[in-house]
Amino acid sequence: MESTGTDPNSPDAPRPEAVRHEYRRSASQPHAGAAGSTAPADSKGWTRNELAARVAKELHNGQYVNLGIGMPTLIPNYIPDGVEVVLHSENGILGVGPYPAEDAIDPDLINAGKETVTVNKGAAFFDSAASFGMIRGGHVDVAVLGAMEVAANGDLANWMIPGKMVKGMGGAMDLVFGAKRVIVMMEHVDRNGKPKIVQQCSLPLTGKGCVDRIITDLAVIDVVRDNSGSRLVLQELAPNVSVEDVIAATGAELFEEDRELTV
């Protein structure tokens, strides 16, 4: 095929035709919330706690995992039985546990988001230099981060809050390239109803082409990269959510996975 000279990641580059098919639908039975509550059976999508439980299913035995501030910090409470992961906090903890009970709060034990935490048996403490050495050295298997925008090519913007004074992007800039897999956990649209999954990010980037999977309150979407460029592939629908719901809430094209069968 004759080369057109167009960047395959450019929004103007030719893309495969978007198609629809039957996507795997998550079980409609909601997960119990932190206080044992559940969302109404006919509500659309996952609640914050249900979303944390869904993201927790991405974790596997033996992984070293870093959880960003915000919603990702709910994940330790929902790690499935039989799955043992080591949670890393860039302020210097390896072996972070779930949130403490009210009678077990230690104000000196905090995560990178300045929240009080617990630690599991065998946890280790170290300085920031050693912590970021672990990240930059490729020893973190999975990073779960929040986002303000994710682009169709996997670009991530999650540090500059419009109208807010922010001093810098912090450790996220290391995590998005140091971790072996980057998962974004977020609500599908912002508080004004605008899509957070877009064709191109309008906010300052944390990292380019770094996101592998996006899990929102509506769906699970992969960033698929191949010789034709990058595209967003819808993999799973949240309870009571339709393909049309996801398309309407997404500011970028969605595709089905291309599967080639071989003998």
Side-chain angles (χ1 to χ4, degrees):
M1 179 181 295
E2 183 181 356
S3 174
T4 62
T6 303
D7 180 353
N9 288 327
S10 167
D12 298 323
R15 295 179 179 275
E17 182 182 356
V19 293
R20 297 182 184 179
H21 74 305
E22 289 298 318
Y23 296 93
R24 183 163 66 92
R25 187 177 299 276
S26 178
S28 60
Q29 178 63 38
H31 299 282
S37 62
T38 60
D42 59 349
S43 64
K44 284 191 174 183
W46 288 300
T47 66
R48 289 167 66 93
N49 289 321
E50 291 166 0
L51 179 56
R54 173 59 188 85
V55 178
K57 292 181 180 179
E58 298 288 310
L59 308 182
H60 305 290
N61 273 324
Q63 288 182 324
Y64 291 89
V65 180
N66 183 284
L67 303 177
I69 62 175
M71 282 198 292
T73 59
L74 298 172
I75 293 172
N77 292 323
Y78 296 95
I79 295 175
D81 292 340
V83 175
E84 294 185 8
V85 299
V86 180
L87 298 181
H88 170 273
S89 181
E90 60 261 38
N91 64 319
I93 307 175
L94 197 61
V96 179
Y99 282 127
E102 288 293 330
D103 59 354
I105 293 176
D106 182 347
D108 293 323
L109 195 58
I110 60 172
N111 62 16
K114 310 299 187 294
E115 299 172 310
T116 53
V117 296
T118 61
V119 292
N120 294 326
K121 184 178 181 180
F125 302 91
F126 34 84
D127 61 17
S128 290
S131 180
F132 278 88
M134 296 174 187
I135 296 170
R136 294 166 184 165
H139 303 293
V140 174
D141 295 300
V142 180
V144 183
L145 304 170
M148 296 164 197
E149 289 181 334
V150 181
N153 66 349
D155 289 351
L156 171 66
N158 80 337
W159 69 277
M160 177 61 77
I161 304 172
K164 300 284 187 178
M165 180 65 72
V166 181
K167 296 180 180 179
M169 66 181 70
M173 65 181 181
D174 293 281
L175 281 167
V176 294
F177 292 114
K180 296 172 184 174
R181 187 167 190 242
V182 175
I183 298 172
V184 165
M185 173 188 180
M186 66 179 187
E187 294 173 333
H188 211 97
V189 299
D190 65 19
R191 64 183 61 186
N192 297 315
K194 294 177 60 178
K196 297 172 72 173
I197 302 174
V198 294
Q199 199 64 35
Q200 283 187 309
C201 292
S202 61
L203 298 173
L205 297 182
T206 306
K208 297 185 70 173
C210 55
V211 176
D212 298 299
R213 171 162 278 198
I214 309 165
I215 304 180
T216 76
D217 54 325
L218 301 183
V220 178
I221 298 171
D222 282 342
V223 181
V224 175
R225 303 174 180 90
D226 56 26
N227 292 335
S228 64
S230 302
R231 64 189 183 279
L232 298 173
V233 176
L234 181 57
Q235 299 287 10
E236 181 180 333
L237 296 170
N240 302 314
V241 173
S242 68
V243 174
E244 288 74 18
D245 291 332
V246 178
I247 291 173
T250 304
E253 291 179 307
L254 291 173
F255 300 89
E256 71 170 344
E257 181 64 276
D258 297 325
R259 293 184 175 87
E260 181 180 355
L261 300 177
T262 59
V263 178

